[in-house]
Amino acid sequence: MRIEKDMKLADVIHHDFSLIPVINRFGIHLGFGDGTIEEICIKKSVNTEFFLTILNTYHDPQYFPKKHLQSFHTATLIEYLKKAHQFYTEQKIPEIQNLIFRLTEESAQHKDRYQLALNFFKEYQEEFTRHIDREEKLVYPYIYELEKVIESGKVPEKLIRRMEAYSIMDYEDEHDNVEEKLFDLKNLIIKYLPAPSNESTSYRILLELFDLEKDLREHARIEDMILVPKVEAMEFTIQKMIR
Amino acid sequence: MAQKITVIVIERSYLLRSGIEGLLKEFQGMHLAEIYDGTEKNLIQKINTLKPDCVIVNPKAITDSLNTFVRSVNNEATVIGLISGNTADHIKSRFANTLHIKDGKHELMNSLSQIIGRKKNNKAPNKNQPLTERELTVLKNITLGLTNQEVAEKLFLSIHTVMTHRKNITKKLGIKTVSGLTVYALLNKVIDIQDIEQ
Ligand SMILES: [Fe+2]
Ligand SMILES: [Fe+2]
């Protein structure tokens, strides 16, 4: 199903409730009423086209958001990505960590084994934080700078040197797969850790892991397919300005 | 599924064979794979293809030298001597464990369960272990923090071979990262927690 602006948002959520955290990132919260997507977006001052692009990307893995590329500001995109980061680091990951901790508490018998899973997840958390830090402290400021330079029409010497040393292509290359450890953890729980005394805790952990994994996959897709091409186009513009 | 202990018996006497068979039936998780009388051709080969965990053998049934026999049996198998009062000491000493034919049922059960208990403990790390010996060695070294290059040098392999092993390990286990493999290795006692804390 392609999500369109004249659909009722409530119907869309009934159809795919995994979109709830996504609409939250736009400041749209449950209890949003009976409006269409367009009506709700206008009320909340959200760019409707952008909102639809993100929703469709999450909803349909085949969806390729090409033609909407140029229609939103970089700032809109980056704000969204930062909100998503916040959701992962402040909500999702601590939740999973608590659940794994509960697992260690519930099974005194296998405590040391579950402790291994907990340490593993902590390591993942650190790695993930580093990844996000890099994006927010290095990549995004670089993009803002490109935008400023294009608006002003003047290319400072410093930026030319910086572009030579680092371009968004490098980011694409080093955009490592942050889901790998989640995949491992799922298999450790499914196949190799001892049976838990409380099955429902393990089940909830798995639900959360599948959920986070999917969210991160779409997040990386948005970065690779919307952010990166947009920045490539900006770099290209600037290179033409120098010549 | 519980790990089965595979046993082979080599004994000529029909009465003793049936006796041992009956005794083994009383243990759970025991699998008596074959009974030989000792005169079979290529006995060692036949035994080794069955990959036994224990070989219970009456030294008198062995036609070749007992020494050669014990050495040629796959070294994963425990060779248990079925001995009597007049078995010479130098023969008894060839075996890792012995069972005395004059022992009562209770004593026999005791000795057997001790031997099997040790076997099971040694076998436990292999539970869920679809990896080959080589892959296990590579896994062990990787989880101890060695790079592919270092593993290659240590095991006298090409770096390409090490990478192939790694790929297969990941495919078999469904674990991609080194930390994930480390947890797996710890859970399955491929390495010990002290090993990585150093
Ligand atoms: Fe990100
Ligand atoms: Fe990312």
Side-chain angles (χ1 to χ4, degrees):
Chain A
M1 181 187 79
R2 177 62 39 84
I3 302 168
E4 310 279 1
K5 62 183 176 188
D6 52 357
M7 288 178 178
K8 291 260 172 84
L9 184 57
D11 292 341
V12 174
I13 295 298
H14 269 289
H15 186 76
D16 181 356
F17 68 86
S18 75
L19 293 174
I20 294 173
V22 183
I23 67 166
N24 289 165
R25 281 164 218 167
F26 289 89
I28 299 171
H29 301 284
L30 294 178
F32 49 70
D34 206 28
T36 64
I37 288 181
E38 190 171 32
E39 285 161 3
I40 292 174
C41 280
I42 291 169
K43 206 163 82 190
K44 291 279 182 179
S45 323
V46 170
N47 181 328
T48 310
E49 278 305 302
F50 181 63
F51 184 73
L52 284 170
T53 306
I54 299 290
L55 249 52
N56 277 309
T57 309
Y58 267 88
H59 176 64
D60 176 10
Q62 309 301 322
Y63 179 76
F64 188 79
K66 204 168 189 173
K67 59 179 176 174
H68 300 297
L69 269 187
Q70 307 302 325
S71 59
F72 3 93
H73 293 291
T74 347
T76 316
L77 190 53
I78 289 178
E79 278 319 302
Y80 168 79
L81 293 171
K82 278 187 177 170
K83 272 272 169 58
H85 289 168
Q86 210 182 348
F87 170 73
Y88 304 138
T89 54
E90 288 175 15
Q91 217 173 309
K92 213 68 183 165
I93 290 180
E95 254 170 40
I96 298 175
Q97 195 173 321
N98 279 339
L99 283 169
I100 303 178
F101 179 71
R102 193 190 295 173
L103 206 59
T104 66
E105 295 287 287
E106 281 169 357
S107 345
Q109 198 193 346
H110 295 303
K111 202 178 169 117
D112 51 336
R113 292 173 160 233
Y114 288 121
Q115 189 67 41
L116 291 173
L118 189 59
N119 293 343
F120 178 76
F121 192 72
K122 280 182 180 155
E123 203 180 293
Y124 169 75
Q125 182 182 22
E126 284 160 22
E127 193 178 285
F128 185 74
T129 312
R130 271 199 303 276
H131 176 82
I132 280 176
D133 265 9
R134 209 182 135 64
E135 292 184 339
E136 297 197 352
K137 295 192 176 131
L138 223 93
V139 183
Y140 299 167
Y142 171 67
I143 298 172
Y144 276 127
E145 203 181 336
L146 293 183
E147 194 169 46
K148 225 169 60 200
V149 165
I150 291 175
E151 271 166 23
S152 72
K154 282 194 294 262
V155 190
E157 194 61 29
K158 219 176 78 194
L159 183 77
I160 300 175
R161 277 200 302 276
R162 192 170 166 188
M163 272 172 63
E164 276 163 7
Y166 178 90
S167 91
I168 199 72
M169 297 279 263
D170 299 316
Y171 167 74
E172 212 178 345
D173 286 343
E174 75 205 15
H175 199 184
D176 47 16
N177 196 342
V178 281
E179 301 140 39
E180 274 188 349
K181 274 209 166 84
L182 293 181
F183 175 86
D184 286 1
L185 184 54
K186 284 192 323 198
N187 262 338
L188 287 169
I189 294 172
I190 294 171
K191 296 206 258 185
Y192 304 120
L193 281 161
S197 43
N198 184 349
E199 299 273 1
S200 89
T201 309
S202 295
Y203 178 57
R204 282 188 56 195
I205 295 173
L206 284 175
L207 278 182
E208 291 289 338
L209 289 176
F210 276 104
D211 200 45
L212 177 61
E213 198 183 23
K214 179 189 184 297
D215 204 323
L216 286 175
R217 196 164 44 234
E218 307 314 339
H219 181 82
R221 218 154 70 87
I222 290 168
E223 288 174 334
D224 291 343
M225 290 185 171
I226 307 180
L227 187 71
V228 172
K230 208 170 162 65
V231 177
E232 270 168 1
M234 286 161 80
E235 284 178 340
F236 187 68
T237 311
I238 293 177
Q239 254 138 26
K240 271 200 307 203
M241 282 161 68
I242 310 171
R243 275 187 233 122
Chain B
M1 200 181 67
Q3 198 73 37
K4 278 222 164 133
I5 303 273
T6 303
V7 186
I8 288 177
V9 173
I10 306 164
E11 169 61 60
R12 279 197 99 131
S13 147
Y14 171 74
L15 280 179
L16 280 178
R17 285 159 73 147
S18 324
I20 294 167
E21 203 176 342
L23 203 60
L24 291 176
K25 277 197 183 126
E26 301 205 16
F27 286 92
Q28 271 201 338
M30 295 283 278
H31 167 60
L32 180 55
E34 195 64 75
I35 305 180
Y36 298 109
D37 65 17
T39 57
E40 289 82 358
K41 273 194 180 149
N42 302 325
L43 183 58
I44 291 287
Q45 268 168 301
K46 283 178 181 152
I47 291 171
N48 284 344
T49 46
L50 291 169
K51 296 205 173 81
D53 298 296
C54 295
V55 180
I56 301 177
V57 54
N58 187 336
K60 285 183 195 146
I62 302 299
T63 46
D64 290 340
S65 109
L66 183 63
N67 222 343
T68 320
F69 175 85
V70 173
R71 262 191 287 120
S72 329
V73 170
N74 187 338
N75 57 14
E76 304 242 316
T78 305
V79 183
I80 303 165
L82 201 56
I83 56 165
S84 62
N86 50 29
T87 307
D89 279 345
H90 75 273
I91 291 179
K92 280 187 209 164
S93 64
R94 296 270 174 255
F95 300 107
N97 301 90
T98 51
L99 292 175
H100 210 287
I101 55 170
K102 284 196 182 133
D103 278 347
K105 183 180 175 187
H106 186 71
E107 289 158 297
L108 285 171
M109 293 281 279
N110 258 346
S111 334
L112 261 181
S113 65
Q114 267 180 30
I115 299 165
I116 291 159
R118 272 200 298 273
K119 257 334 235 203
K120 276 200 170 148
N121 275 339
N122 288 339
K123 262 201 134 172
N126 286 328
K127 215 164 94 187
N128 294 330
Q129 197 92 263
L131 302 181
T132 65
E133 283 301 314
R134 244 291 125 73
E135 285 162 355
L136 274 176
T137 314
V138 172
L139 173 68
K140 184 171 175 172
N141 282 293
I142 289 167
T143 52
L144 291 177
L146 268 64
T147 63
N148 287 344
Q149 183 65 50
E150 286 165 341
V151 176
E153 278 163 24
K154 188 171 164 188
L155 302 179
F156 304 105
L157 297 172
S158 74
I159 185 133
H160 177 78
T161 311
V162 174
M163 306 239 288
T164 309
H165 282 311
R166 279 197 68 161
K167 238 184 269 163
N168 289 337
I169 292 168
T170 289
K171 219 190 308 174
K172 284 182 179 175
L173 300 181
I175 299 181
K176 296 174 181 169
T177 67
V178 175
S179 338
L181 290 173
T182 309
V183 175
Y184 174 86
L186 285 168
L187 286 173
N188 288 279
K189 301 197 172 63
V190 178
I191 53 169
D192 203 66
I193 192 84
Q194 278 98 9
D195 296 338
I196 42 172
E197 274 168 359
Q198 283 164 10

